[in-house]
Amino acid sequence: MDSDEILYARVKQGDVSAFDELYARHAPRLFAFLRSQVPSAADAEDILHEALLSTLESREVTFDRACFRTWLYRIARNAALNRARSRGRGDAALGNLPEEPPAPAADEQLAHAQRMHALDVAVSRLPGALADVYHLRSSGLSYEEIAEVLNIPLGTIKSRMHQMVGALRQELGTWTAQ
Amino acid sequence: MDCAVIQGDLLAYHFAVAAAEERARIEAHLLECTTCLRAYLALKAHVERTDEAGKGPSEESRLRLRAAVEERFRPTPGRRLRRWLARPIPRYQSLAVAAAVILVAALAPAVSRQLGQRATADATGRVDTSRTTAESLSIY
């Protein structure tokens, strides 16, 4: 299986099948990450489009320090921040409130749906810096990649991860207890 | 082991911020308790959003992006030429070219001198065919 960086080079040579593979690998998780950053699915799709094209076209993208995925998330996050800024943070925050849990079929499903809804609410209340590490880590990025994307030291990421889990635990209380 | 305590620690376990001892305790419990294992797998799927099947980008959006990539990177003669010119040249090739240039520069004066001498010799030994008399063959 070709690495992301090899696929990237193949796309630049005009190989669209390499793009299909890159898209299948990264688009679903990147889209989910973007959904946590912008209010609507349409916005997330636009930014996904913009970020993938920019990553492929940019002359600044080199892989000596950061891998393809790091570049992709860095560019996508910046695009999402720009869009949120241009539309006003209030709208974005409003749009990111988690939806009500769907009506479950059984008691166990109900309990599960409620717990997950509580988790979503707790995540939506995290401060921006902690929400960033939650969403990037949930997208499968390593601590090192998160540090590159956010352009902050690795030690700060580790400390924020602890703070983030602590904040969620505090917010959730005994949500997990049955 | 109290399942409520374990489930309260699952977030820390998932995000790898639990201490080594705590991790070992949770893993040992997950191996024995299917309820907590199910809870952990559900939590993991939710956090990683793998339980959101069908909530990815739309097919239209994928096709639009694919078309844009195809348009942007489709190989054309001009792009092929630019790519060929911009290709990285291996160091040994550059060294070989430099060595060839130095060799040619070093040998050029000697070769040109030799060619000059040969031209002079040719000029002095040339038969003058413009004359019809035997004088033109004075060299002999």
Side-chain angles (χ1 to χ4, degrees):
Chain A
M1 191 173 71
D2 284 343
S3 69
D4 289 346
E5 289 71 28
I6 289 174
L7 291 175
Y8 174 87
R10 281 175 45 198
V11 175
K12 295 193 79 139
Q13 303 274 333
D15 181 353
V16 186
S17 69
F19 166 76
D20 291 337
E21 211 170 325
L22 268 182
Y23 187 90
R25 274 186 204 175
H26 296 290
R29 281 194 154 188
L30 180 59
F31 180 75
F33 169 70
L34 290 170
R35 284 294 285 116
S36 70
Q37 306 288 306
V38 292
S40 75
D43 280 345
E45 282 182 352
D46 284 352
I47 295 170
L48 178 76
H49 185 110
E50 189 184 326
L52 260 166
L53 264 188
S54 300
T55 310
L56 289 169
E57 285 180 330
S58 174
R59 286 170 185 274
E60 289 172 23
V61 173
T62 54
F63 301 123
D64 32 333
R65 276 198 66 214
C67 64
F68 171 79
R69 184 164 65 169
T70 305
W71 277 107
L72 182 60
Y73 274 80
R74 184 187 289 169
I75 290 171
R77 180 173 173 275
N78 287 340
L81 285 176
N82 287 342
R83 185 164 294 221
R85 237 175 255 136
S86 68
R87 292 203 172 171
R89 286 191 167 273
D91 290 350
L94 199 63
N96 280 340
L97 283 177
E99 294 162 12
E100 283 297 312
D107 284 354
E108 194 180 341
Q109 282 179 317
L110 173 65
H112 170 70
Q114 283 174 340
R115 285 198 297 268
M116 295 309 136
H117 180 64
L119 175 60
D120 290 343
V121 171
V123 170
S124 73
R125 288 180 185 157
L126 282 174
L130 302 187
D132 277 342
V133 292
Y134 174 90
H135 291 299
L136 288 169
R137 183 69 177 151
S138 300
S139 299
L141 271 68
S142 66
Y143 283 17
E144 288 79 8
E145 287 173 324
I146 297 172
E148 284 287 338
V149 169
L150 299 177
N151 201 21
I152 49 179
L154 182 60
T156 310
I157 297 298
K158 288 179 181 170
S159 138
R160 283 188 190 173
M161 289 298 294
H162 280 275
Q163 288 173 35
M164 179 270 289
V165 170
L168 288 180
R169 274 172 132 166
Q170 196 172 4
E171 183 80 29
L172 293 167
T174 55
W175 71 286
T176 47
Q178 300 203 346
Chain B
M1 183 72 64
D2 187 351
C3 290
V5 173
I6 289 292
Q7 290 187 25
D9 291 339
L10 287 179
L11 266 175
Y13 176 74
H14 176 74
F15 284 105
V17 295
E21 197 177 306
E22 197 182 353
R23 282 188 72 80
R25 183 172 57 83
I26 293 168
E27 278 165 10
H29 182 84
L30 291 180
L31 286 173
E32 291 171 356
C33 176
T34 50
T35 306
C36 287
L37 181 61
R38 257 205 319 274
Y40 173 63
L41 293 177
L43 172 71
K44 185 175 186 302
H46 188 76
V47 168
E48 293 176 355
R49 308 179 191 99
T50 49
D51 58 348
E52 295 182 349
K55 287 191 180 175
S58 67
E59 183 61 6
E60 294 77 39
S61 138
R62 187 186 74 79
L63 291 174
R64 204 167 55 241
L65 180 55
R66 192 179 196 276
V69 168
E70 200 167 7
E71 164 67 25
R72 177 65 188 81
F73 297 104
R74 183 191 299 127
T76 60
R79 274 188 201 139
R80 279 202 195 103
L81 178 66
R82 271 200 299 278
R83 203 175 297 140
W84 186 81
L85 291 173
R87 77 200 188 287
I89 299 171
R91 190 172 292 164
Y92 71 88
Q93 282 185 7
S94 317
L95 287 174
V97 169
V101 168
I102 290 169
L103 191 66
V104 167
L107 292 178
V111 170
S112 114
R113 212 166 29 244
Q114 206 163 3
L115 287 176
Q117 283 169 0
R118 191 175 294 167
T120 314
D122 284 354
T124 52
R126 188 175 297 148
V127 175
D128 186 358
T129 53
S130 63
R131 300 185 180 199
T132 52
T133 63
E135 291 169 17
S136 66
L137 300 173
S138 60
I139 189 172
Y140 299 106

